[in-house]
Amino acid sequence: MISVDAHRETVTGLLGNAPVIRLPLASAAGPGIAEDVRAGVSLPPFDNSAMDGYAVRAADVTEVPVTLPVAEDIPAGRVDITKLEPGTAHRIMTGAPLPPGADAVVMVEHTDGGVTDVRVLRTAVPGAHIRRQGEDVVEGTVALSAGTVLGPAQLGLAAAVGLAEVPVFRPLKVLVVSTGTELVDAPEPLRHGQIYESNSIMLASAIRALGCEAEVLRSVVDDVDEFRAVIEPRLADVDLLVTSGGVSAGAYEVVKDALTGQGVEFRKVAMQPGGPQGCGRWNGVPVVTLPGNPVSVLVSFEAFLRPALLAAMGHAGVDRQRVRARLTEAMTSPAGRRQFRRGFYTHSEGEVTGIVGPRGGPGSHLLASFTQANCLIVLPEDVDSVDQGDEVDVLLL
Ligand code: AMP
Ligand code: MG
């Protein structure tokens, strides 16, 4: 048996990094940025007003109330800005450039709101309500560092510093294949001995949620020649093949039988569920083979594929958030294996640690309980039992 960490490293190494492409911001959400990106302009690009009000010299409003002539009107977007003469005010709106000569803004609420003359009711200190050039980002500095994931805030900043495109790792194309002669697609009626196929939609949606592309081949029968004939021609178009089923110790293990000796290695990983795993290259294309039980599939995705795909797409952080939590009930775990159990984690305000309870038993066919889970409880290799109230590691999904 090999360790979970060793297999994860192998899978991550297999995928490597996707090629770098430049995408317009509108299509760039999801992947990590591939290179450091520098700001083309400072943010703010110029000193401007933080309030609707009046640009003044602080020295002119030390004795209040005082009335000043309004010499200019500066809405946001005005670009021909003239100097503020001593003893005058410019009416100014939020985001409009501060006129040279002004060193403070009095908010409109502290005036009579006048248009030709303004009565200022409160004093202002120098710098009041002024947003300084470069306060947020300085032109030429790194605005987004390599590996930063492009979510709404990051895309917003990229837009604000004047970028139209960003360098990202090209989203990987993954071919998802389910194997099993027993598998049937709805709405076809089930005959006794058949089940509905559910792994491919789980894998495809999990893969797409990371920003990768997924193509799906539902239910390939357990026949080695047919498996090879159907899948081999499609390898050239994809970056990764992910299969489920057909890798355990029984007979009719189609994936194992078809790919052993073709560059894919099958091994037992010290985990539960998800022990039988395989990975390698088939015709040069990375292949990750997962076991067939639906819970094993999702746990294997979490343990191996998710971090590998995120790393390939340049994410600096690939791990789920890990927290400690107190167990609501005792559990056992097979010695020498890392157990992942579906759990529900809650954290009340004021508590130092949250609490977590298992959802469903360890059986890897118990998919319904996964739908009630929001985390995986991780019981390490050297633990074979935990008591109610013990603290355990929890991965938040
Ligand atoms: P296998 O690893 O092929 O022996 O499959 C293990 C178990 O998972 C068997 O009970 C299969 O019927 C089930 N299984 C395999 N593939 C799928 C799938 N795509 N959808 C639902 N169940 C599956
Ligand atoms: Mg099977």
Side-chain angles (χ1 to χ4, degrees):
M1 275 205 289
I2 63 158
S3 71
V4 174
D5 297 334
H7 190 61
R8 170 175 152 158
E9 233 171 81
T10 307
V11 173
T12 300
L14 187 67
L15 289 195
N17 267 336
V20 175
I21 54 170
R22 306 191 82 82
L23 284 182
L25 295 190
S27 329
I33 201 157
E35 301 153 8
D36 287 352
V37 163
R38 290 176 187 277
V41 296
S42 289
L43 286 186
F46 47 86
D47 290 354
N48 68 89
S49 178
M51 287 288 173
D52 296 328
Y54 295 84
V56 297
R57 295 190 331 153
D60 290 338
V61 296
T62 50
E63 311 261 303
V64 287
V66 60
T67 298
L68 302 171
V70 177
E72 289 286 343
D73 199 29
I74 318 176
R78 186 167 165 188
V79 292
D80 58 330
I81 299 304
T82 55
K83 187 168 179 292
L84 178 98
E85 297 301 336
T88 71
H90 290 184
R91 193 163 78 129
I92 191 166
M93 301 303 143
T94 305
L98 192 76
D103 63 0
V105 170
V106 180
M107 56 201 275
V108 66
E109 291 84 348
H110 294 167
T111 71
D112 68 352
V115 178
T116 49
D117 293 291
V118 62
R119 194 168 158 78
V120 176
L121 308 172
R122 304 233 190 138
T123 60
V125 293
H129 304 310
I130 295 171
R131 306 194 289 208
R132 293 291 176 196
Q133 177 183 28
E135 205 179 290
D136 195 8
V137 177
V138 175
E139 181 181 343
T141 60
V142 173
L144 294 166
S145 54
T148 304
V149 178
L150 291 166
Q154 294 74 18
L155 289 167
L157 182 64
V161 298
L163 294 168
E165 293 180 339
V166 277
V168 296
F169 292 102
R170 175 171 64 67
L172 295 178
K173 243 193 241 175
V174 184
L175 177 60
V176 174
V177 175
S178 291
T179 69
T181 304
E182 74 279 26
L183 303 176
V184 168
D185 292 344
E188 196 181 312
L190 287 186
R191 293 161 62 194
H192 188 72
Q194 297 181 323
I195 59 168
Y196 286 122
E197 196 280 310
S198 58
N199 287 344
S200 66
I201 184 69
M202 292 198 298
L203 281 170
S205 61
I207 288 165
R208 288 182 189 130
L210 304 183
C212 297
E213 292 170 27
E215 262 179 62
V216 173
L217 266 181
R218 300 180 71 174
S219 30
V220 176
V221 296
D222 292 323
D223 178 275
V224 167
D225 293 332
E226 187 163 337
F227 178 90
R228 289 207 185 114
V230 170
I231 298 164
E232 207 167 4
R234 302 183 66 159
L235 289 177
D237 300 330
V238 298
D239 301 301
L240 169 67
L241 167 66
V242 176
T243 64
S244 68
V247 295
S248 331
Y252 315 107
E253 301 291 8
V254 64
V255 176
K256 203 180 201 175
D257 295 346
L259 300 183
T260 297
Q262 303 285 321
V264 179
E265 270 192 58
F266 295 89
R267 35 176 65 163
K268 214 154 164 75
V269 176
M271 69 193 280
Q272 188 202 49
Q277 299 283 341
C279 72
R281 286 177 188 275
W282 183 18
N283 293 350
V285 176
V287 178
V288 175
T289 68
L290 308 179
N293 276 303
V295 174
S296 309
V297 165
L298 271 189
V299 167
S300 305
F301 180 86
E302 284 295 323
F304 309 122
L305 279 172
R306 185 178 183 277
L309 287 170
L310 289 179
M313 296 212 311
H315 287 222
V318 300
D319 292 314
R320 291 287 194 184
Q321 192 186 348
R322 181 182 287 261
V323 295
R324 299 283 286 170
R326 228 177 284 286
L327 269 176
T328 59
E329 58 189 86
M331 295 196 308
T332 57
S333 171
R337 296 196 191 197
R338 192 179 300 177
Q339 190 185 49
F340 296 91
R341 289 282 293 271
R342 303 162 304 285
F344 194 81
Y345 170 83
T346 49
H347 188 210
S348 317
E349 220 178 295
E351 275 180 351
V352 179
T353 50
I355 58 170
V356 69
R359 289 290 180 272
S364 56
H365 59 298
L366 303 171
L367 183 58
S369 45
F370 217 134
T371 66
Q372 293 144 23
N374 65 2
C375 68
L376 289 175
I377 303 166
V378 186
L379 301 182
E381 290 79 348
D382 59 356
V383 165
D384 56 12
S385 70
V386 273
D387 288 327
Q388 183 185 357
D390 281 355
E391 266 191 27
V392 290
D393 270 349
V394 163
L395 298 174
L396 301 180
L397 299 179

